[in-house]
Amino acid sequence: MTFPSSLHALPPTVGLIGFGAFGRLIARYLQPHAPLLAFDPLLPQAGERDGVRLATLAGAAACPVVILAMPVERLREVLESIRPHLRPGSLVVDVGSVKQRPAALLRELLPLGVEAVGTHPLFGPQSAAGGIRGLSVAVCPVRGTRPARRLAALLRSRLGLRPFLSTPEAHDREAAVVQGLTHLIAKVLVRMEPFPTRLSTRSFELMMQAVEMVRHDAQEVFLAIERDNPHAREVRNRFLDLVAALGRELDNHAEPARRVTLPQSA
Amino acid sequence: MTFPSSLHALPPTVGLIGFGAFGRLIARYLQPHAPLLAFDPLLPQAGERDGVRLATLAGAAACPVVILAMPVERLREVLESIRPHLRPGSLVVDVGSVKQRPAALLRELLPLGVEAVGTHPLFGPQSAAGGIRGLSVAVCPVRGTRPARRLAALLRSRLGLRPFLSTPEAHDREAAVVQGLTHLIAKVLVRMEPFPTRLSTRSFELMMQAVEMVRHDAQEVFLAIERDNPHAREVRNRFLDLVAALGRELDNHAEPARRVTLPQSA
């Protein structure tokens, strides 16, 4: 069974459900390529914000392409709300930091005939401050691989992103390591502040630049990465065990016996 | 009691005790400014290496300026060996990653009339790959502040470094945080490799650049930072406790009750 794809006739209107920090970032880069309609429960349902037309939930959901840009924990609720308004042949894309559970929800709740692709743009407002060209985005097929491949091609050709295809599970396993460790370490380092200012090293400065890049992320982003990723706890526990083990090694590492290998001179 | 300072008449010959990775780095930058004599127990005691004249321990120790560039754990042994060869009015400088214990050893073992300054260049072969101008160096008075101030002025004017005066204890407290955390995190991350390659973020890449900068450091450097710094264990334990606490918070962080705040539309 095939349906006419919304991506065949460009530019389709894009409905943006969620107009928070990440929704606005998406809007900034999509605006030159497609008309946008944004819905956010905290904003009016008409008028304009940041140059983007505001709409009702029904209006945004009836677009040929619908992007879901809200916290993962609200996804079920939102899918149930937009379900009656989605049109056959439309494409629904989520942009959350985890992919397994959202993919399952999309499969469960989207009407038959609606295409679905899970994406994870691997950047945020901080890391995209200098533009998004060359930045990575994971693209996970949810219903068939064709919509995912088409979307990946568009993200590459129109936005200059570096898309890569993955499965929701492979994505979550890798994100649990890459983002799980980064955000865990960053959160702990922030809790250890203030740090010395005069004494510093290049490597410490790099680590603090990494911290700077994620410290202002919304708490929902942190929770999606650390709590909603089904593999994050295992990675966290491994990190904790290795820190503890290294501490024990160092505590037990007696100073080596004094060697007398210095040759006598003169 | 004052002695004629070796730094009044430039350029004094510099005796370099220890010609490993860091000794060679020092030599590269001092060569344009002063004659060098290097001694290393693993090298011949005459001839030349990397453009630097090799010498006996006695020869290097008899120079007006003596730089000790060997692992901190060998400092007592080396000080006892060079003691008979040091000249009154000479200046002894160490370059180790910790300063409290070396300062105590210098005070205890150097003959009266020999000046001493503890330094910690906050860079290594990796971070100095692009040159040392603008890089930091801690300078700690060991016997009086005047030699330390004179040395700091020279490091600034001749080598373009950014010296800052500190006490051995303040230095070690700050280094326990800055270097202690960096090297601890780096060592643990290296043990968690290999990491995903396609899925990556700017912040993870910055963290891995920090790792790259210290992963090839000699084990002696790691042990000086993590074991020989008297404050490192406390910092390590605090980091471990915070990682464990954050893990518990996340494990207990039930998903928030489903809120029904989405306004009805249409």
Side-chain angles (χ1 to χ4, degrees), chain A:
Chain A
M1 191 158 33
T2 57
F3 292 90
S5 170
S6 55
L7 292 177
H8 287 155
L10 277 168
T13 300
V14 174
L16 198 50
I17 314 273
F19 204 54
F22 203 79
R24 282 161 213 249
L25 183 66
I26 293 171
R28 195 189 326 154
Y29 289 101
L30 288 187
Q31 252 170 338
H33 302 285
L36 300 181
L37 279 185
F39 166 79
D40 192 288
L42 301 176
L43 293 177
Q45 300 181 26
E48 195 177 279
R49 186 63 56 102
D50 294 354
V52 175
R53 275 168 62 209
L54 299 177
T56 60
L57 181 70
C63 291
V65 176
V66 178
I67 299 181
L68 307 175
M70 84 290 296
V72 172
E73 67 197 35
R74 309 217 27 202
L75 190 58
R76 172 179 287 279
E77 174 192 355
V78 167
L79 284 171
E80 285 168 352
S81 303
I82 64 172
R83 191 181 153 82
H85 309 294
L86 293 168
R87 298 217 181 136
S90 65
L91 170 67
V92 174
V93 178
D94 88 302
V95 297
S97 303
V98 289
K99 297 269 66 73
Q100 277 180 265
R101 204 162 61 114
L105 286 172
L106 290 171
R107 277 194 205 102
E108 174 193 342
L109 295 171
L110 290 182
L112 204 66
V114 168
E115 296 184 333
V117 177
T119 73
H120 179 197
L122 288 153
F123 48 87
Q126 261 75 34
S127 48
I132 61 170
R133 293 199 75 82
L135 296 180
S136 292
V137 52
V139 178
C140 302
V142 172
R143 282 184 170 171
T145 58
R146 287 180 62 187
R149 291 190 185 280
R150 280 199 312 270
L151 180 63
L154 279 171
L155 293 174
R156 184 184 299 276
S157 63
R158 302 285 163 130
L159 302 181
L161 290 170
R162 292 197 313 195
F164 62 94
L165 289 175
S166 187
T167 65
E169 193 192 335
H171 169 277
D172 282 8
R173 286 197 182 278
E174 297 189 355
V177 174
V178 169
Q179 295 196 287
L181 287 175
T182 305
H183 286 251
L184 176 74
I185 291 168
K187 185 73 88 181
V188 167
L189 289 181
V190 165
R191 290 184 180 178
M192 295 186 82
E193 291 179 329
F195 288 125
T197 51
R198 292 187 313 172
L199 191 154
S200 194
T201 61
R202 182 80 187 113
S203 47
F204 185 71
E205 281 160 17
L206 284 167
M207 227 166 247
M208 293 313 292
Q209 280 175 31
V211 170
E212 214 47 47
M213 209 146 268
V214 302
R215 72 186 301 156
H216 304 294
D217 281 354
Q219 174 74 353
E220 286 93 350
V221 173
F222 180 73
L223 289 177
I225 289 167
E226 299 290 352
R227 182 198 61 192
D228 299 334
N229 185 317
H231 313 284
R233 185 191 295 206
E234 184 189 326
V235 172
R236 203 156 59 227
N237 287 340
R238 189 152 161 248
F239 181 76
L240 181 68
D241 288 348
L242 285 170
V243 172
L246 186 54
R248 282 192 303 274
E249 282 174 43
L250 284 163
D251 291 348
N252 298 334
H253 203 307
E255 210 173 318
R258 193 170 145 206
R259 290 163 297 178
V260 193
T261 53
L262 203 69
Q264 290 309 303
S265 66

Side-chain angles (χ1 to χ4, degrees), chain B residues 19 31 36 38 43-55:
Chain B
F19 204 54
Q31 252 168 338
L36 300 181
L43 293 176
Q45 299 182 26
E48 194 177 284
R49 188 62 57 102
D50 293 353
V52 175
R53 275 170 60 210
L54 299 176

